[in-house]
Amino acid sequence: MLPIVAWRNIWRSRTRSLVVIGSIVIGVWALVFLLGFFRGQVNNYINNIIENETSHIQFHDSLFTEDYDVRLFIAQSENILSELQERPEIGSATSRVIVNGMLSSSNAAQGVMVKGVHPDQEQMTTGLYDKIIEGTPFDSTRRNQIIISQRIAEKLKVKIRSKVVVTFQNTDGDISAAAFRVVGIYKTHNRMNDELYVFTHIDDMRRLTLLPDDAAHEIALVVNEFDSTDVFASRLSAEYAPILVQTYKQISPDLELFNSQIRVNMIIMTTIFMLALIFGIINTMLMAVLERMKELGMLMAIGMNKLRVFFMVVYETLFVSLLGAPIGMGLGYLTLKYLHYRGIDLSAWSRALEEFGMADLVRPVLDSESYVMIATAIVITAVLASIYPALRAIRLKPVEALRKI
Amino acid sequence: MENNIVIKVSDLEKIYDETAVPVHALRGVDLEIRRGEFTAIVGPSGSGKTTLLNIIGGLDRPTAGKVEVDGNDIANLSDNQLIDFRKKHIGFVFQSYNLIPVLTAKENVEFVMLLQKRSKAERDSRTRELMEAVGLADRMQNRPSELSGGQQQRVAVARALAPKPAFILADEPTANLDSKSTANLLDMMARLNKEENITFVFSTHDQRVIDRARRVVTLEDGKVLSDHSRE
């Protein structure tokens, strides 16, 4: 009976209840949207790093990443690469020769990291050619071709077919220089990477650095099951010791930091939303209690005990709060679905976003864990919001309440 | 307490000290009400009749004196014990009906029985019996807002009778009713009193109620001024 009375009570002042329910719907919808937008931005950043820089898993000589010494390479890398490409867990794999050097034109010079790549495998792993905005992919019949970023091209004042010189240290410790012709200019959403990486053919770099024909400094893998990356990486690590096998999280610890920081921010934002909500609900329910003092007094007079009165007000608060919440969450879910499909165009801020390595198209998304977090927060909020009005209700003395007009 | 005495108050005093000046609402009231009486407590405003009714009904506590209701001393019960006591022993009828507006007439009558955890079958038969007794068997599914003042007050009487209380306390039950509704309500109460020996205690200003009462207790300045029975 109590839930029935409580349910009917909330419709006594239909407009007031609808206003509260409406505000909860809008609040929860806005929260879902905001959290989805933040999560989308984080995913955008992480995906960019994985796609352009780290892939899911990388192999290196155990000391290579300390100072990128050209002599610290993985021997028989082509055999390892072939083995890895056979594994069903792996979507694509590629090997690279990586050399620090100086890229110069007749106008300027720039410190760069030269990545000697297998063009087809690189395309499959990082989609290198998709980022070319001018020029062509490597021509397999010609030597010493280079793909540079738009930023480097602007800085060195070079264009397609210009010649540039790369100076670097070979495996004998001597400084070598080689001329390359610019065949492609690329652009990504990460300004820092664009100013650092240039791409040549792996064979050219092996030849010029005097590396063995099957040597590579890096093997990068994209796995089919993203969630199993950690487990798979530790298996590979055991199989290929002493080669250093690392996941994207180990290569870029900032990703995990960023991820956990955003998670904390999401909790803080949810808390702020709920605090705003809690006062709105308390205000409304307090009004509902205070204007029914005489009725509550009568209920206690005819034998309704304080616990029942308390729970009747709690039920009313829960009904009002929990009616709006699923509607708000449902609307938020549909909004995110639509915006995930369409994407939110932030190209007006693309220059600023590039500074942070983010693409200008954000696809908002929210995992089920976050929906559970929001739902739990709403239930806690509703319960907390119900306590004060319910306490006010049971503090009434029937004889005094009955005297109220 | 003798078996047929349902209310016994002795040397009852009530002092309100909400303001700087204490107000003596009751000054040593002694009163006994027997089962089956139809009693009106009358007196001018401020004479203490509502205070007396509140104390007898366990809604308020006396400053001094003894209150025995249906053989139980209720002066020292805790709030929760009083609520439980009221639920079992006392039926209330209020001046402004005070039905639960979101419940139908039937549900209002059933409400206290639900609090007492009576079975559905018992609730249904008792509700029907009472709604017939108050002449509203055809209005069971109507909400209070769909009933006239007189009909609402009859539902309130049915609700008060539902738990089979020791007596009914009615505080100015006809104050908001027209003559016809008042006459109907009083007829119905008198019939219940006569046929089912239900004890009614009214506080009232209404001469129509006073004329129908078989016993009239007059209070003035918190004291019993007169106590007349008309058998």
Side-chain angles (χ1 to χ4, degrees):
Chain A
M1 190 59 138
L2 271 192
I4 294 172
V5 176
W7 172 258
R8 291 185 193 169
N9 274 338
I10 65 171
W11 299 114
R12 284 163 75 160
S13 180
R14 189 176 293 266
T15 310
R16 185 174 61 203
S17 293
L18 286 176
V19 166
V20 180
I21 291 167
S23 64
I24 292 170
V25 168
I26 293 169
V28 173
W29 171 83
L31 179 64
V32 169
F33 171 76
L34 270 180
L35 297 188
F37 182 75
F38 283 144
R39 175 50 66 193
Q41 270 195 320
V42 171
N43 288 357
N44 176 351
Y45 175 72
I46 292 174
N47 290 343
N48 258 336
I49 299 272
I50 290 173
E51 200 182 306
N52 297 315
E53 205 175 335
T54 63
S55 300
H56 293 137
I57 297 171
Q58 287 189 354
F59 285 41
H60 298 106
D61 177 275
S62 58
L63 297 174
F64 176 73
T65 50
E66 282 180 17
D67 59 0
Y68 291 88
D69 186 333
V70 72
R71 287 164 294 196
L72 298 173
F73 56 84
I74 302 167
Q76 298 181 321
S77 67
E78 294 306 311
N79 288 344
I80 295 172
L81 186 61
S82 302
E83 280 171 28
L84 291 170
Q85 282 168 335
E86 293 296 311
R87 299 182 79 131
E89 298 94 333
I90 294 172
S92 63
T94 189
S95 58
R96 298 170 187 138
V97 165
I98 297 174
V99 178
N100 278 322
M102 183 66 72
L103 181 69
S104 41
S105 69
S106 52
N107 299 303
Q110 158 97 27
V112 293
M113 188 173 272
V114 185
K115 287 190 174 185
V117 298
H118 289 290
D120 294 340
Q121 290 166 8
E122 191 67 30
Q123 167 61 14
M124 285 172 68
T125 309
T126 62
L128 173 64
Y129 290 160
D130 302 336
K131 292 155 198 152
I132 292 178
I133 55 169
E134 200 183 339
T136 57
F138 294 116
D139 178 351
S140 57
T141 62
R142 291 172 187 269
R143 280 184 171 186
N144 289 17
Q145 300 166 75
I146 194 164
I147 294 173
I148 63 175
S149 71
Q150 188 182 34
R151 281 179 181 271
I152 292 176
E154 283 168 4
K155 193 166 180 184
L156 268 58
K157 296 187 179 127
V158 295
K159 49 192 179 183
I160 297 296
R161 303 194 55 75
S162 294
K163 270 196 174 173
V164 289
V165 173
V166 182
T167 311
F168 49 86
Q169 196 177 32
N170 64 25
T171 50
D172 287 344
D174 298 328
I175 300 295
S176 294
F180 285 80
R181 189 173 295 282
V182 177
V183 293
I185 293 175
Y186 76 91
K187 185 176 185 305
T188 72
H189 298 293
N190 191 316
R191 183 185 63 81
M192 277 165 56
N193 285 357
D194 282 9
E195 286 180 357
L196 185 62
Y197 298 129
V198 296
F199 298 90
T200 66
H201 199 287
I202 193 168
D203 292 340
D204 291 337
M205 289 314 291
R206 279 175 179 150
R207 190 183 68 252
L208 292 167
T209 53
L210 311 178
L211 279 166
D213 284 348
D214 59 356
H217 294 115
E218 181 173 279
I219 296 174
L221 312 177
V222 172
V223 298
N224 288 323
E225 293 288 332
F226 177 73
D227 292 339
S228 63
T229 305
D230 291 346
V231 178
F232 185 52
S234 45
R235 226 163 55 217
L236 292 177
S237 182
E239 284 177 38
Y240 289 96
I243 295 172
L244 179 66
V245 178
Q246 292 174 296
T247 65
Y248 66 93
K249 285 185 262 187
Q250 292 163 317
I251 300 161
S252 278
D254 55 313
L255 288 187
E256 196 53 22
L257 181 73
F258 190 43
N259 209 4
S260 55
Q261 200 171 1
I262 284 291
R263 226 174 287 143
V264 172
N265 288 350
M266 285 166 81
I267 292 170
I268 291 171
M269 196 173 293
T270 306
T271 309
I272 292 170
F273 260 81
M274 293 303 143
L275 274 176
L277 217 55
I278 208 168
F279 287 109
I281 298 170
I282 288 176
N283 181 41
T284 306
M285 292 314 298
L286 209 52
M287 255 162 65
V289 165
L290 294 179
E291 73 184 18
R292 276 160 47 208
M293 281 170 78
K294 193 169 182 177
E295 185 181 319
L296 293 168
M298 177 276 294
L299 288 171
M300 287 194 253
I302 65 171
M304 190 158 163
N305 65 30
K306 290 185 175 185
L307 198 65
R308 282 196 163 110
V309 173
F310 183 88
F311 276 108
M312 186 178 75
V313 178
V314 169
Y315 279 132
E316 285 177 33
T317 315
L318 289 180
F319 286 150
V320 168
S321 312
L322 302 182
L323 259 178
I327 300 172
M329 283 177 78
L331 284 176
Y333 173 80
L334 292 175
T335 307
L336 290 190
K337 271 264 169 204
Y338 175 71
L339 290 175
H340 184 77
Y341 167 71
R342 273 202 59 177
I344 298 174
D345 184 7
L346 300 178
S347 52
W349 298 277
S350 62
R351 286 190 77 81
L353 288 167
E354 279 170 21
E355 299 291 324
F356 297 100
M358 290 178 177
D360 52 18
L361 191 74
V362 174
R363 295 190 185 280
V365 67
L366 205 57
D367 51 16
S368 51
E369 208 176 274
S370 301
Y371 282 106
V372 171
M373 178 188 79
I374 295 171
T376 311
I378 293 167
V379 172
I380 293 171
T381 302
V383 171
L384 290 178
S386 70
I387 291 173
Y388 182 61
L391 284 177
R392 281 296 296 263
I394 62 168
R395 249 187 259 150
L396 291 173
K397 296 265 179 214
V399 70
E400 287 164 14
L402 281 165
R403 263 190 240 139
K404 307 277 177 192
I405 295 166
Chain B
M1 188 179 277
E2 293 166 45
N3 270 347
N4 62 343
I5 294 177
V6 284
I7 300 164
K8 183 177 180 181
V9 298
S10 319
D11 205 16
L12 203 63
E13 284 200 23
K14 178 69 183 177
I15 302 169
Y16 291 110
D17 51 4
E18 289 166 354
T19 57
V21 184
V23 176
H24 284 74
L26 297 175
R27 299 164 188 262
V29 173
D30 293 304
L31 185 68
E32 281 183 5
I33 292 177
R34 290 179 166 71
R35 197 170 305 282
E37 280 190 349
F38 201 71
T39 305
I41 296 174
V42 300
S45 291
S47 60
K49 53 188 189 303
T50 299
T51 304
L52 178 61
L53 236 67
N54 285 340
I55 291 173
I56 292 170
L59 295 172
D60 207 351
R61 288 195 172 83
T63 308
K66 206 170 173 189
V67 189
E68 285 179 63
V69 173
D70 216 16
N72 302 281
D73 183 353
I74 64 166
N76 298 313
L77 296 182
S78 69
D79 282 356
N80 279 333
Q81 284 171 324
L82 272 177
I83 288 175
D84 204 41
F85 186 81
R86 290 196 297 264
K87 184 168 67 184
K88 287 174 187 156
H89 298 270
I90 307 169
F92 287 94
V93 177
F94 303 98
Q95 178 179 333
S96 46
Y97 331 131
N98 283 3
L99 296 175
I100 304 167
V102 294
L103 299 183
T104 63
K106 175 181 180 286
E107 289 166 337
N108 264 287
V109 175
E110 248 187 319
F111 192 77
V112 183
M113 290 188 282
L114 264 163
L115 298 178
Q116 291 178 326
K117 297 186 175 140
R118 304 261 187 95
S119 71
K120 186 173 185 323
E122 190 187 350
R123 288 195 321 258
D124 283 349
S125 73
R126 178 85 178 137
T127 304
R128 174 154 290 283
E129 178 191 319
L130 287 167
M131 289 300 279
E132 278 169 6
V134 299
L136 288 172
D138 57 336
R139 309 305 299 269
M140 297 230 285
Q141 298 308 325
N142 289 91
R143 289 204 182 180
S145 58
E146 296 160 351
L147 301 173
S148 69
Q151 288 172 326
Q152 286 187 57
Q153 198 60 301
R154 288 206 237 167
V155 175
V157 172
R159 178 182 67 185
L161 290 168
K164 298 184 179 165
F167 60 94
I168 301 283
L169 279 182
D171 185 14
E172 307 270 7
T174 56
N176 293 336
L177 300 182
D178 58 32
S179 309
K180 196 178 167 197
S181 300
T182 300
N184 285 341
L185 184 76
L186 290 171
D187 286 346
M188 183 198 79
M189 286 174 161
R191 182 170 46 78
L192 289 167
N193 171 254
K194 196 172 175 187
E195 292 173 4
E196 300 186 27
N197 203 33
I198 291 166
T199 312
F200 282 90
V201 180
F202 304 92
S203 86
T204 189
H205 280 109
D206 191 338
Q207 193 57 44
R208 296 165 298 186
V209 180
I210 298 167
D211 292 344
R212 300 287 293 268
R214 295 209 305 277
R215 180 181 173 194
V216 178
V217 177
T218 308
L219 291 184
E220 197 172 289
D221 295 332
K223 291 179 185 165
V224 177
L225 190 68
S226 63
D227 186 348
H228 300 296
S229 292
R230 317 178 192 133
E231 289 302 333

